[in-house]
Amino acid sequence: MNNLLVFPLIIPLLTAVALIFFHNRVMLQRWINAAGALLNVFVAGLIVREVKTEGIQTLHMGGWTPPYGIVFTADMLAALLVLTTTVLSTACLFYAFGSIGKERERHYFHPFFQFLIVGVNGSFLTGDLFNLFVCFEVMLIASYALIVLGGTKRQLRETLKYILINIVSSSFFVAAIAYIYGVAGTLNMAHLSLRIAEAGQGGILNVIAVLFLIVFALKAGLFLFFWLPGSYSAPPTAVKALFGALLTKVGIYAIVRTFSLIFYHQPELTHSLIGWMAVLTMILGGIGSIAYSDINRIINYNVVIGIGFISIGIAAATKQSLDGVVFYLMHDMIAKALLFLLGGMLIKAAGTSDLRQMGGLIKRYPLLGWMFFAVTLALVGIPPLSGFTGKLLIIQGGFAAGQYVWTGVALASSLLVLYSLMRVFMGAFFGEEQLAAAKEPVQMKGMISAAAVLLVLIVVIGIGSEWVYSFVSQAGDVLADPGIYINAVLKE
Amino acid sequence: MKINDVILQTVTKIVVFIILTMAVYLFVSGHNSPGGGFIGGLVLASALVLLFLAFDTETIMKRIPLDFKMVAAVGAFITVATGAASLFLDIPFLSHAYSYVNLPVFGKTGLATVTIFELGVALGVVGVVVTIILSISEDV
């Protein structure tokens, strides 16, 4: 029993409730929200330290031992993702202070922000399939509110699609849970894993596994990403960054968890399906990222490519590639948040989101330009920055597993990322100055510093990857050997 | 044209008390029979909706001067707080206590802290339902 595990859930929850009472007092809201967010980062750090020194931590809600009660489990993967979530969401929050606008803040932006964090942290920490569903819904309902908040025509249109697709996938999720409960008679993940190992995965369980894959792929944008590019370009930048960095990654986390802990018996079916979906995701995402000249679209398709790349690591399922998944997941969350923030500032500075009408911004915004260049290098995976180690591990793992096609496409996708983002960099920052940007420079000190924190983090993770790897490796161990997780949860 | 709704209003005045009694009954009986905070809250909210239908929104809001968004927030706070109380006692989150107490009128009664949790749920439901009804009716 360790009550520390529930703090990433109740701190944002209580902050959100407190924020509802002060929804008219914008400055007070900002202070409360910032304090809550920073406290959350601190607690997440404590959890990572505790998991590092004392192994997997569990909390039995209400004192009911698993499989009867809900169990919160923090293995290294969950702890690291909670830490990454809290850090990058805090950066997005500080960015929002300067950009979101008083009107949105008065209409409950701050509570919804914290409710989103509740859902994301809960999804990472829970050890129960139905509780995962509930946390997904907490996260999604907060995201519905955040995506529509402001009520512009475009937001309303995209929200409709976004809600429809998520309601459909959520009902599939409930159906999948009902099926698996019918077959295995339990919903606790560790207990499920045991039951399925005893019964043998085949026939109906394969169908259920694929159903789960479809559900999580819809949430994560793995191959079934048709809804993503439109929906993610509707809300304001700070919200986009939260979505791009968190929502799809929760789906990926769910895939990692279910297919490393529960359905790992028939990789030739499930994992190769993930692999081929990932290949298609990277190809289609790559085509999308170079096809458009709208900055929002380019960034959104880059999110899709990232999802495909991570999934290659899941599909290869060697210890090395799973290490790579954890590493790349952390890097990708931070780098994508940064990319969205910088993209938002770029659009603000240029006065348009059309790349063809931009140019010569480097003279006025040198810092923004070089930060964009740095995050491009990080996403491509240039050695001193954070993307390199994760990519290297995934690709090594992929080759070691003998999956040359998947890994080849993954390697090639980095080139498309490089091309699409360098096109933005060259087009927007170099060349002739364009008319749309010829007004006086836009003030964005606060926003730049929020982004700078994330950039520093990327550099630190990149340079200190040896040190980060000592954490990541512990997470990879659990993914490679489900027995560790099961023992930790069901030991008493 | 002024519609004469004496019958509706008179019946409402009586029926609302029956509904409220039903809501309280459902709320307190939830531990051992069907009912509980969610249904209790819904029934309570339906009493309020009936009042809004029979009289107009302004009259009722003058008599019940509550901001129902805050009611929902208070409900959420109560639910979290009952769970968080166990943090101070160093027992797992969401642990609940149950014991028998001799009350003056009721005699031997089982009291559970989960009732407080359910109170939060009920307030949350009432707050949400009434907020939805009121915000939709404002637009028309």
Side-chain angles (χ1 to χ4, degrees):
Chain A
M1 186 215 73
N2 182 353
N3 268 328
L4 187 63
L5 293 193
V6 83
F7 277 91
L9 205 70
I10 48 175
I11 293 172
L13 202 50
L14 286 175
T15 315
V17 171
L19 285 166
I20 297 176
F21 290 106
F22 304 111
H23 75 103
N24 269 323
R25 304 181 57 187
V26 173
M27 284 320 286
L28 186 61
Q29 279 201 82
R30 289 184 183 180
W31 280 103
I32 296 176
N33 205 353
L38 290 172
L39 191 62
N40 224 353
V41 173
F42 174 69
V43 169
L46 281 186
I47 291 178
V48 169
R49 203 190 64 177
E50 197 153 327
V51 174
K52 172 81 178 158
T53 51
E54 290 166 36
I56 298 177
Q57 298 292 310
T58 58
L59 167 63
H60 307 152
M61 293 285 176
W64 295 92
T65 49
Y68 303 109
I70 290 170
V71 58
F72 260 38
T73 318
D75 62 340
M76 198 36 123
L77 173 62
L80 284 177
L81 290 181
V82 168
L83 182 61
T84 318
T85 301
T86 50
V87 169
L88 75 86
S89 62
T90 310
C92 290
L93 180 66
F94 279 96
Y95 183 92
F97 289 163
S99 69
I100 198 88
K102 287 248 180 347
E103 202 46 45
R104 282 195 172 92
E105 287 184 271
R106 224 171 266 130
H107 287 92
Y108 304 98
F109 166 77
H110 292 286
F112 285 130
F113 169 86
Q114 290 289 356
F115 279 127
L116 187 81
I117 306 303
V118 172
V120 173
N121 281 349
S123 305
F124 288 146
L125 285 171
T126 188
D128 181 281
L129 217 45
F130 195 78
N131 199 235
L132 179 69
F133 169 75
V134 173
C135 291
F136 259 90
E137 287 305 303
V138 171
M139 171 185 90
L140 287 173
I141 290 171
S143 77
Y144 301 155
L146 283 174
I147 196 174
V148 80
L149 191 65
T152 61
K153 195 173 171 187
R154 182 179 193 186
Q155 280 178 305
L156 292 174
R157 191 183 61 225
E158 295 302 334
T159 307
L160 192 64
K161 296 181 201 163
Y162 179 72
I163 292 185
L164 270 177
I165 200 69
N166 275 306
I167 285 181
V168 169
S169 71
S170 291
S171 43
F172 274 134
F173 197 174
V174 176
I177 289 174
Y179 285 142
I180 203 165
Y181 188 67
V183 173
T186 179
L187 285 175
N188 180 290
M189 291 187 198
H191 198 216
L192 257 179
S193 176
L194 276 186
R195 286 261 170 104
I196 286 173
E198 281 165 16
Q201 185 185 335
I204 184 84
L205 279 169
N206 278 333
V207 175
I208 296 171
V210 173
L211 192 52
F212 271 113
L213 181 59
I214 291 171
V215 170
F216 295 142
L218 266 171
K219 311 261 187 202
L222 172 64
F223 183 56
L224 306 168
F225 63 81
F226 49 89
W227 54 273
L228 192 147
S231 298
Y232 279 17
S233 45
T237 307
V239 177
K240 266 186 223 165
L242 276 176
F243 282 19
L246 296 178
L247 299 193
T248 51
K249 306 307 183 292
V250 175
I252 279 289
Y253 166 81
I255 293 179
V256 173
R257 190 56 93 201
T258 38
F259 287 91
S260 72
L261 181 64
I262 303 173
F263 304 113
Y264 58 92
H265 303 282
Q266 287 209 335
E268 68 276 10
L269 175 75
T270 50
H271 287 59
S272 63
L273 193 57
I274 297 178
W276 289 113
M277 282 168 89
V279 166
L280 286 173
T281 312
M282 281 185 290
I283 293 172
L284 295 174
I287 292 172
S289 72
I290 56 175
Y292 288 95
S293 55
D294 180 85
I295 305 276
N296 286 321
R297 294 266 164 178
I298 295 175
I299 295 176
N300 288 342
Y301 277 105
N302 269 295
V303 172
V304 172
I305 300 179
I307 294 293
F309 194 91
I310 297 170
S311 307
I312 289 292
I314 303 171
T318 59
K319 159 81 172 110
Q320 208 167 20
S321 71
L322 288 170
D323 282 350
V325 166
V326 181
F327 206 109
Y328 197 75
L329 202 50
M330 288 169 63
H331 146 78
D332 200 52
M333 288 167 84
I334 298 174
K336 286 285 149 57
L338 181 54
L339 183 63
F340 273 103
L341 296 186
L342 294 174
M345 282 188 269
L346 174 58
I347 291 170
K348 195 166 259 180
T352 168
S353 68
D354 189 350
L355 189 56
R356 284 166 298 193
Q357 292 169 24
M358 295 181 186
L361 289 170
I362 197 82
K363 280 181 205 139
R364 268 188 197 158
Y365 308 97
L367 190 58
L368 179 62
W370 294 115
M371 279 168 84
F372 195 91
F373 183 65
V375 76
T376 304
L377 295 188
L379 279 167
V380 176
I382 306 291
L385 294 164
S386 62
F388 174 68
T389 321
K391 283 207 168 180
L392 184 70
L393 285 168
I394 288 182
I395 284 164
Q396 278 181 338
F399 280 133
Q403 301 295 355
Y404 299 104
V405 180
W406 300 350
T407 321
V409 174
L411 270 173
S413 79
S414 296
L415 285 176
L416 290 180
V417 171
L418 179 67
Y419 175 69
S420 67
L421 291 179
M422 282 312 275
R423 199 165 67 103
V424 174
F425 180 66
M426 298 302 287
F429 290 99
F430 290 97
E432 290 291 303
E433 272 196 76
Q434 297 269 337
L435 277 179
K439 291 162 260 163
E440 58 221 63
V442 187
Q443 269 303 329
M444 42 190 169
K445 255 203 191 102
M447 295 183 252
I448 279 275
S449 35
V453 171
L454 291 181
L455 186 65
V456 168
L457 218 59
I458 284 180
V459 175
V460 167
I461 292 179
I463 292 173
S465 43
E466 191 77 34
W467 174 69
V468 178
Y469 184 72
S470 63
F471 293 87
V472 167
S473 168
Q474 196 183 342
D477 285 338
V478 178
L479 294 182
D481 178 11
I484 303 174
Y485 185 95
I486 297 168
N487 281 339
V489 174
L490 297 175
K491 65 191 164 196
E492 280 116 293
Chain B
M1 189 188 80
K2 176 100 176 71
I3 306 165
N4 189 347
D5 43 12
V6 169
I7 296 179
L8 177 64
Q9 294 189 348
T10 315
V11 172
T12 300
K13 281 175 193 166
I14 303 164
V15 165
V16 157
F17 280 97
I18 301 174
I19 299 179
L20 287 178
T21 317
M22 180 72 181
V24 174
Y25 168 75
L26 281 173
F27 175 76
V28 292
S29 70
H31 203 82
N32 298 313
S33 49
F38 187 79
I39 305 174
L42 270 183
V43 173
L44 208 159
S46 75
L48 288 169
V49 171
L50 183 61
L51 284 175
F52 289 135
L53 281 175
F55 305 88
D56 57 324
T57 321
E58 286 79 34
T59 320
I60 301 300
M61 287 311 286
K62 214 183 285 168
R63 294 297 172 83
I64 314 172
L66 284 175
D67 183 348
F68 282 92
K69 292 191 204 80
M70 298 305 149
V71 172
V74 168
F77 176 76
I78 291 173
T79 36
V80 182
T82 50
S86 49
L87 298 178
F88 297 106
L89 304 171
D90 203 31
I91 47 178
F93 181 70
L94 279 177
S95 296
H96 285 284
Y98 184 87
S99 71
Y100 289 98
V101 182
N102 273 314
L103 292 180
V105 184
F106 301 99
K108 188 184 170 199
T109 316
L111 289 183
T113 52
V114 80
T115 314
I116 309 172
F117 183 89
E118 290 289 306
L119 178 69
V121 175
L123 287 178
V125 170
V126 172
V128 169
V129 171
V130 176
T131 305
I132 291 173
I133 300 277
L134 286 183
S135 354
I136 295 175
S137 70
E138 270 165 19
D139 281 356
V140 179

